[in-house]
Amino acid sequence: MSQDKTQEANQPQDGAIDPSRRKFLNTAALVGLTGAGLSVGLSACKQESSAPSAPAVPASGTLAKADPIHPKPGQLDEYYGFWSGGHTGDFRVLGMPSGREIHRVPCFVPDALVGWGVTNESKAIMGTKADGSLQFTVGDTHHTHASYKDGNYDGRYAWINDKLNSRVARIRLDTFVCDKITKLPNVQGFHGIFPDKRDPVDAAINYTTRVFCGSEFHIPVPNDGRDIDSPEQYRAMFSCLDAETMEVRWQVMIDGNCDLCATSFDGKLAACNQYNTENGVHYEDMMSAERDACIFFNIARIEQAVKDGSYSTFGDSPVPVVDGTRASNADPKTALTATVSVPKNPHGVNASPDGKYFICSGKLSPTGTVIELQKVLDWFDGNLDDIDKAIVAEVEIGLGPLHTAFDGRGNTYTTLFLDSQVVKWNVEDAIRFHNGDNTVQYVRDRIDVHYQPGHINASQSETMFADGKWLTVGCKFSKDRFLPVGPLHAENEQIIDISGDKMVLVAEHPVRPEPHDFIILKRDLLNPKKIYALDDFPLAIHDPKNVGVTRDGNKVTVRLVSIAPAIEPREFRVKLGDEVTIILTNHDRIEDLTHGFGLPDYNINFIVNPQETASVTFVADKPGVFWGYCTHFCHALHLEMRSRMIVEA
Ligand code: K7E
Ligand code: CUA
Ligand code: CA
């Protein structure tokens, strides 16, 4: 592509700023100020939960059909996008298909906006050391998936992995807050994550109860200094968490490794692609074999083995570990695992929405491999003599295939990292071609993307309700696509219309590195809360009169409430050396009326949303006057909203 062409592609479609948009902004600002001014008077005497002001959205469908990619001011998106944040350690929420970033939910890494890692409540979720400081302050999220019911997302939870410190975070989808983090034992490089879609045994349990986690790096077990120079003893683990309690239920010890993870719609199988079946320590070793594998886990048999007590435990961890190594699982009748061979260092395993296939990409082989799930089950039942007969197609699709998405019409879309393309191919035609019909054209289309795509996903892709409308491609390199900002480049999320026969590139957006994976789901599957309830928080100060300082030795508790534009009490006194706990309840009930609390020189800043309570604990080690102030613009008198902390020497 010539430089000229690139620049042309970078020209904004509509050039100058639309004057009607400016007018809207001015009006919005005025309305906002008036609203804030009004609540000066209202907040003290009468607080009404204001009905959310209806956005200026036309009757559903009209504008949405006109230009959902560039929505008009006030127009809402039809889909949510859940993005992983990469080493920012957060979970991001986008409106799709506009690609507008709406929210970031901090999980593994402290976040200054909400005070994640600052408040006692968030620190308890993140995990602390004996001295109260955070156990980890860095992370590396790759994959996020949401809970299922009846083959579709049910709007309860999302989960996200931290590859760096082997943690799983759960995000509540009613509040978009991380409520639990679990660290996996016996594991390093926890990469793929996927919830189950139903129970393998109990047909009544047609929703997610487990979350599966694959570990990519093999390590000595337990990793306590033994076997460090005997890599042939290193093992990887496939872990199962309880979706509700977030406790680790069991692990399967395997040779090789786990990379990405997928689950079947019938709940019976989970799978991980394996690129290091060689058990290699160096990359040359890891790519020495021509074929690696996709390993399948028989969930019902594993749970039975755990129930029967056929497991070991390692080190300090009480988690039952069953033996899923190849040597111990050769007999299909008793095997907990089955290993299907897949060409060279595969990447990605994805479940087709018809429930029939898993698809693995070759990465170092230009192929896509289609594995029929019924045939894997047949092998476990003793009705298939060779597990590799579960491969129903293995076809060339392009260079560097990584991840695959689905349109619900039988087509798959695979990213080609080396070709910088997305290839659209048809699964049933690929199977026909694989079976010898050379006249079949299974590749339907190819499109250039910019550049080197990794993950890909389509609207509702890995549900039974894949709707084949929008495809998003996470390009790992953006190069010349955005204004240069020095050596670090944004990544480029490109949006492709897949509703027709040909893919059409319709938009691209810079994203802060580096999201890896994402899902796109219909907005009506979620029903987030507008405000909290006081009872959601054990420390809530229910009566605003119940504020002030209480002392127990040198432990001091300061109870504060925020009611715009005041923090009550307006001042409080502590003594030098006191251990101070500030509890702040936001008594405002108006949607969107969030307050902050920043304390100069004490490294404290956090927010409280309407009806939320949060607390912080610190030692008053500096005497003087410290103006605690509201850090979140809330009111015409926001700047005046303060409470003075006096630390007496
Ligand atoms: Cu392909 Cu971690 Cu999902 Cu990145 S992995 S792209
Ligand atoms: Cu309260 Cu700003
Ligand atoms: Ca390999």
Side-chain angles (χ1 to χ4, degrees):
M1 170 181 288
S2 77
Q3 190 61 24
D4 279 346
K5 248 178 127 179
T6 306
Q7 287 181 345
E8 195 179 294
N10 280 341
Q11 289 299 318
Q13 294 288 315
D14 44 8
I17 296 171
D18 173 4
S20 63
R21 167 116 182 106
R22 277 197 75 83
K23 198 172 157 211
F24 170 82
L25 286 170
N26 289 338
T27 316
L30 270 176
V31 168
L33 192 58
T34 318
L38 268 177
S39 72
V40 176
L42 281 179
S43 56
C45 51
K46 180 181 162 207
Q47 281 207 331
E48 283 170 331
S49 171
S50 72
S53 53
V57 190
S60 126
T62 49
L63 265 182
K65 278 194 186 95
D67 191 2
I69 294 293
H70 304 101
K72 293 279 185 286
Q75 184 182 351
L76 303 182
D77 280 289
E78 197 182 338
Y79 300 85
Y80 283 97
F82 294 165
W83 255 245
S84 79
H87 25 282
T88 55
D90 53 14
F91 168 92
R92 301 178 188 171
V93 185
L94 276 62
M96 291 295 292
S98 74
R100 296 176 293 188
E101 185 180 296
I102 303 166
H103 191 36
R104 291 186 182 189
V105 181
C107 297
F108 302 112
V109 172
D111 179 82
L113 170 69
V114 302
W116 192 251
V118 175
T119 63
N120 295 331
E121 291 74 17
S122 60
K123 285 167 83 176
I125 292 166
M126 294 176 79
T128 53
K129 297 191 264 198
D131 68 358
S133 63
L134 290 173
Q135 193 181 5
F136 300 109
T137 56
V138 290
D140 181 24
T141 70
H142 285 229
H143 304 111
T144 184
H145 291 284
S147 55
Y148 285 79
K149 185 175 186 197
D150 293 329
N152 203 355
Y153 298 120
D154 66 0
R156 282 184 296 149
Y157 300 122
W159 290 272
I160 192 165
N161 78 308
D162 168 26
K163 177 170 170 175
L164 189 61
N165 295 308
S166 297
R167 294 175 291 173
V168 190
R170 182 173 74 187
I171 294 100
R172 286 176 54 152
L173 295 180
D174 59 346
T175 55
F176 283 88
V177 169
C178 168
D179 75 332
K180 276 189 190 288
I181 290 178
T182 298
K183 182 159 170 55
L184 303 176
N186 305 323
V187 160
Q188 255 175 46
F190 153 42
H191 195 207
I193 184 171
F194 219 105
D196 68 1
K197 299 182 180 110
R198 62 178 313 142
D199 191 85
V201 180
D202 186 343
I205 304 176
N206 55 353
Y207 52 87
T208 295
T209 62
R210 303 170 183 80
V211 182
F212 300 115
C213 310
S215 72
E216 190 182 334
F217 305 155
H218 57 332
I219 52 171
V221 185
N223 191 22
D224 58 2
R226 77 186 67 193
D227 296 336
I228 47 182
D229 292 317
S230 310
E232 69 282 358
Q233 302 289 343
Y234 296 3
R235 293 288 179 266
M237 297 279 177
F238 178 76
S239 309
C240 172
L241 269 70
D242 185 292
E244 283 304 324
T245 66
M246 287 287 283
E247 311 232 312
V248 185
R249 280 195 191 177
W250 43 257
Q251 296 184 302
V252 183
M253 181 157 71
I254 60 164
D255 22 35
N257 71 338
C258 297
D259 189 20
L260 281 296
C261 188
T263 61
S264 65
F265 281 91
D266 61 12
K268 292 178 180 168
L269 296 171
C272 292
N273 65 291
Q274 301 186 288
Y275 65 76
N276 188 18
T277 52
E278 301 92 336
N279 284 311
V281 177
H282 306 291
Y283 77 83
E284 297 90 337
D285 308 327
M286 296 182 203
M287 50 190 282
S288 59
E290 277 313 305
R291 293 184 78 92
D292 286 288
C294 181
I295 183 169
F296 285 84
F297 299 89
N298 186 318
I299 304 307
R301 280 193 195 169
I302 292 166
E303 302 233 308
Q304 192 58 48
V306 171
K307 240 184 235 161
D308 295 344
S310 314
Y311 61 79
S312 315
T313 61
F314 293 99
D316 298 337
S317 163
V319 172
V321 180
V322 299
D323 183 355
T325 55
R326 283 184 185 229
S328 307
N329 290 273
D331 180 0
K333 283 279 181 30
T334 55
L336 307 179
T337 58
T339 312
V340 177
S341 101
V342 175
K344 214 167 174 82
N345 289 37
H347 193 65
V349 52
N350 295 93
S352 65
D354 57 12
K356 284 156 74 173
Y357 307 111
F358 278 4
I359 294 179
C360 286
S361 299
K363 194 168 77 183
L364 301 189
S365 158
T367 48
T369 299
V370 182
I371 300 169
E372 188 175 334
L373 299 180
Q374 185 53 51
K375 292 202 153 82
V376 175
L377 293 172
D378 288 347
W379 181 85
F380 278 117
D381 289 340
N383 297 325
L384 187 74
D385 59 329
D386 177 357
I387 183 68
D388 283 351
K389 286 186 182 161
I391 298 170
V392 291
E394 195 161 282
V395 292
E396 281 202 23
I397 50 177
L399 292 182
L402 294 183
H403 296 284
T404 295
F406 303 89
D407 65 6
R409 299 188 293 269
N411 302 306
T412 73
Y413 301 78
T414 302
T415 48
L416 302 172
F417 183 80
L418 299 177
D419 279 341
S420 279
Q421 281 188 336
V422 171
V423 56
K424 172 182 176 181
W425 52 294
N426 183 277
V427 177
E428 296 300 337
D429 279 353
I431 294 170
R432 275 181 211 114
F433 184 89
H434 182 82
N435 288 335
D437 183 352
N438 290 330
T439 63
V440 160
Q441 290 288 331
Y442 55 88
V443 170
R444 292 289 199 267
D445 194 18
R446 291 179 190 277
I447 191 169
D448 288 339
V449 295
H450 312 86
Y451 305 89
Q452 268 89 32
H455 273 280
I456 189 169
N457 228 327
S459 39
Q460 294 279 137
S461 175
E462 273 174 287
T463 71
M464 287 163 69
F465 302 87
D467 64 9
K469 288 190 177 168
W470 305 105
L471 187 76
T472 300
V473 184
C475 297
K476 306 312 284 181
F477 295 79
S478 65
K479 298 182 184 174
D480 52 4
R481 302 297 281 192
F482 307 110
L483 290 174
V485 287
L488 176 65
H489 293 240
E491 290 191 12
N492 186 9
E493 307 289 73
Q494 295 194 308
I495 300 173
I496 294 171
D497 181 344
I498 53 167
S499 58
D501 288 341
K502 302 291 280 180
M503 293 180 275
V504 183
L505 179 62
V506 290
E508 64 183 359
H509 302 278
V511 283
R512 190 151 193 239
E514 54 166 10
H516 296 271
D517 200 9
F518 38 83
I519 59 172
I520 301 163
L521 59 161
K522 290 281 240 181
R523 76 171 191 220
D524 51 18
L525 295 172
L526 299 190
N527 187 19
K529 288 187 183 184
K530 310 272 190 208
I531 62 173
Y532 286 105
L534 288 183
D535 286 337
D536 294 340
F537 306 93
L539 294 181
I541 300 154
H542 286 256
D543 185 348
K545 285 190 227 87
N546 207 0
V547 294
V549 176
T550 53
R551 173 177 291 279
D552 176 12
N554 70 338
K555 286 192 168 43
V556 171
T557 303
V558 181
R559 290 185 178 76
L560 303 175
V561 299
S562 57
I563 305 172
I567 300 168
E568 301 286 353
R570 311 289 173 90
E571 67 176 59
F572 55 92
R573 283 168 192 265
V574 300
K575 293 196 167 57
L576 188 65
D578 282 346
E579 184 194 287
V580 180
T581 296
I582 291 179
I583 303 170
L584 172 57
T585 296
N586 182 359
H587 269 258
D588 277 307
R589 239 179 266 133
I590 296 167
E591 188 178 353
D592 205 1
L593 218 171
T594 294
H595 299 290
F597 189 80
L599 204 49
D601 299 336
Y602 273 95
N603 201 29
I604 281 168
N605 191 12
F606 63 100
I607 59 167
V608 277
N609 295 294
Q611 303 281 290
E612 186 180 12
T613 297
S615 66
V616 289
T617 299
F618 58 95
V619 174
D621 57 4
K622 292 172 280 284
V625 169
F626 301 89
W627 286 102
Y629 72 100
C630 179
T631 48
H632 206 91
F633 211 110
C634 55
H635 193 278
L637 292 172
H638 158 76
L639 294 172
E640 291 82 350
M641 187 169 178
R642 307 185 206 171
S643 180
R644 185 169 51 137
M645 177 171 82
I646 294 164
V647 181
E648 297 171 338

